[in-house]
Each structure stands twice: as structure tokens, then as C-alpha cells.
Amino acid sequence: MSAPFSQNRATRWSVYALIAVLFAIACGFLSHWQFTRNEDRAAMLELVEANYDAAPLPVEEVLDRGFAPQDEWHPVRLAGRYLAEEQLLVRNRAQGGTSAFEVLVPFQLADGRIVVIDRGWVPPGEDAVPDAVPAPPTGEVTVIARIRPGEPLPSSGRSAPAGQLPTIHLPSVADLTGPETETAFYGQLVSEDPAPAEARPAAVAAPTEDPGPHLSYAIQWILFAIMGFVFIAYMIRTEIRARHEDAEGDDDDELPTAAPARAKPRRRDRDADEEDALLDA
């Protein structure tokens, strides 16, 4: 029976090792994914640092050459007028600790081209819609805004009521304002001149400088892979120790039982012997 047992044990240990290898491979993929996210986050922070407080460019320069990823967060200057009648609200935006609405207003340049401006956010009202939305300045306005890329529609197919959007999906805005609307980027408002007659919506929060937990997560996945091998080794070692203990117990059971020692004759007392002798006489 030892040969079949050894074969079963080797098969079981091979399965253990295979599980550890597969677990390590999965951890390796997850670790690589977190390292990639950490690199992307670091690149984004570098871009923010380089562009966020740069001198504004004429928006026509970006429109003529086309938007590029390295343009994100760079300020631009726009001169023209707001198309306030085409204003839209983007729902379910996390701002100010609430599910807010961001206010999009198309801005028409002197040459007729239109750039969407995100003027900021307003809180929801009692009926889950804003109680009031501050109007933009009228007439000729000079706007400073930071470039942001447009957003895709939700993958879930979530929609929005009339006058609202589920995301900052610029082609949806262009469906209302016409083909002159830029669909690659929009502007996140910095300032307006002249200032609006009423207080503008609250400014959208600046990007955080926190690099995020991606690097620590990547290292944790590597440690998990190592712990998988350590755990399998511990299981095998525990099984080997248990087998050794069982084998020693079987050997002890097979030892012959020792014969009981013969009782030594009890030594009689001398006075008792003399007393017996007198009685016999």
C-alpha cells in the first residue's frame, strides 16, 4: 500500500503546486495592471503640473491644429458670446459632497465655431433638479477656460430627461447646436469678462495631487503571490509531519508486551517465626 499512497500523495502535491502557480499568475496580471495605472496616474499629474497654470493660448490655435492629449488642462482664451438658450445640465456629477449638476453652455466664437463651456456646478433642489441656474454674461464676453476631453456615453445605456445629459458627451451637444460645435474638447471655466450679473455656479474642483494607492496595491499582489507558495509549502509540510507521527504510532503498537515481574516472597518477621516454633512444640 505504500506505493499507491506515495503516488496519491505526489498527485495531490502536484495539484497544490499547480494551484499556487495559477494563483501567482493571476496575482502577476493584477500587479501589472496596478503598475500600469500608477504610471498613467503619474503621467496625468505631470501633465496637470505642466499645463494647469500655463499662460492661456488662443482657442483658435487648438481648433486649427486639432486637440491632442497633451493639451488637456491647458488654459485657452475665447472671445465671443454665450448661447444661453442652448444651455444643458449634466446630471449625477459628484461635486461638493452631493450628486450635483454641471452647467454646459455653448460659446460661439467670432468665426462661428462653437466650443462648449462647463461653467461649474449647481446643487439639486427639492425635486432632484436645480432650483435655479445662474445665467451667463450676455453680449461679447472673453472667457478663460481649461481644455478637457469629452466623455463617452454611459455603457449602461443610462439616459437623461430633456435639457439634460448623462455625461459631457459633446456629440450630443452638437446634435442641438450644429456641426460647427467642437466635439473633441470642451472648456472648464476659469474666468469671464465681464463678470455675470449674478454669482456664477460653483467652480468644478481642481484635480487632486494624490498619486493614489495603485503602487501599494501592485506590491500587495506580489506579496499575495509569494504567500500562496508559502501556504502550499506549509500544507505539504504539515501533511508530512502528520504521516511521520502516524507511522511512529503504528511502530509502538507492534512492540511485544513485557511479562509482568514476579512478586518477591515476603520476608517473614523473626519474632513471628519463633512464635510459630513455640506453638508447634
Side-chain angles (χ1 to χ4, degrees):
M1 294 180 62
S2 61
F5 175 78
S6 299
Q7 185 176 0
N8 293 338
R9 181 172 55 186
T11 301
R12 186 166 58 254
W13 291 354
S14 298
V15 172
Y16 291 165
L18 179 61
I19 292 173
V21 170
L22 293 177
F23 179 71
I25 292 174
C27 290
F29 277 114
L30 292 170
S31 178
H32 176 72
W33 174 57
Q34 290 293 347
F35 275 123
T36 301
R37 295 188 66 187
N38 182 69
E39 292 174 359
D40 293 342
R41 179 65 179 172
M44 193 275 283
L45 292 177
E46 291 178 3
L47 190 63
V48 171
E49 184 177 0
N51 289 350
Y52 198 80
D53 294 321
L57 297 172
V59 72
E60 291 81 3
E61 179 179 328
V62 181
L63 290 170
D64 291 341
R65 63 175 167 78
F67 172 75
Q70 60 266 25
D71 293 326
E72 186 175 3
W73 297 109
H74 202 293
V76 292
R77 182 182 295 104
L78 307 89
R81 66 185 185 92
Y82 280 110
L83 304 178
E85 65 278 7
E86 305 291 348
Q87 174 179 284
L88 293 167
L89 299 177
V90 186
R91 60 191 291 113
N92 296 327
R93 308 293 283 189
Q95 299 287 351
T98 186
S99 182
F101 292 83
E102 289 188 35
V103 183
L104 302 184
V105 186
F107 189 90
Q108 189 171 43
L109 305 175
D111 60 9
R113 288 182 288 186
I114 296 173
V115 177
V116 177
I117 299 298
D118 182 351
R119 297 193 68 235
W121 63 274
V122 290
E126 294 183 358
D127 297 328
V129 294
D131 294 330
V133 179
T138 58
E140 291 296 317
V141 183
T142 299
V143 168
I144 304 296
R146 292 186 176 93
I147 295 176
R148 298 299 313 280
E151 301 172 357
L153 288 172
S155 58
S156 62
R158 175 171 51 89
S159 60
Q164 299 182 16
L165 295 173
T167 63
I168 304 179
H169 186 245
L170 300 177
S172 296
V173 182
D175 290 341
L176 302 175
T177 56
E180 301 84 5
T181 304
E182 173 61 38
T183 58
F185 70 89
Y186 68 97
Q188 198 173 85
L189 182 63
V190 177
S191 66
E192 297 167 318
D193 185 22
E198 54 183 321
R200 51 170 278 199
V204 175
T208 176
E209 297 180 357
D210 184 6
H214 308 301
L215 182 59
S216 61
Y217 286 166
I219 296 174
Q220 286 178 14
W221 282 117
I222 294 175
L223 294 177
F224 287 156
I226 296 173
M227 289 171 60
F229 286 107
V230 172
F231 178 71
I232 295 300
Y234 172 78
M235 289 182 62
I236 293 175
R237 183 172 180 271
T238 302
E239 185 173 332
I240 292 173
R241 179 182 296 175
R243 286 300 307 168
H244 285 170
E245 291 177 354
D246 292 342
E248 291 176 358
D250 294 340
D251 293 341
D252 291 341
D253 293 339
E254 294 175 359
L255 291 176
T257 304
R262 295 180 61 183
K264 293 183 178 181
R266 194 165 116 183
R267 185 176 178 183
R268 291 177 59 86
D269 186 82
R270 177 186 243 175
D271 294 338
D273 292 340
E274 292 179 355
E275 183 177 352
D276 290 342
L278 291 174
L279 289 175
D280 292 339

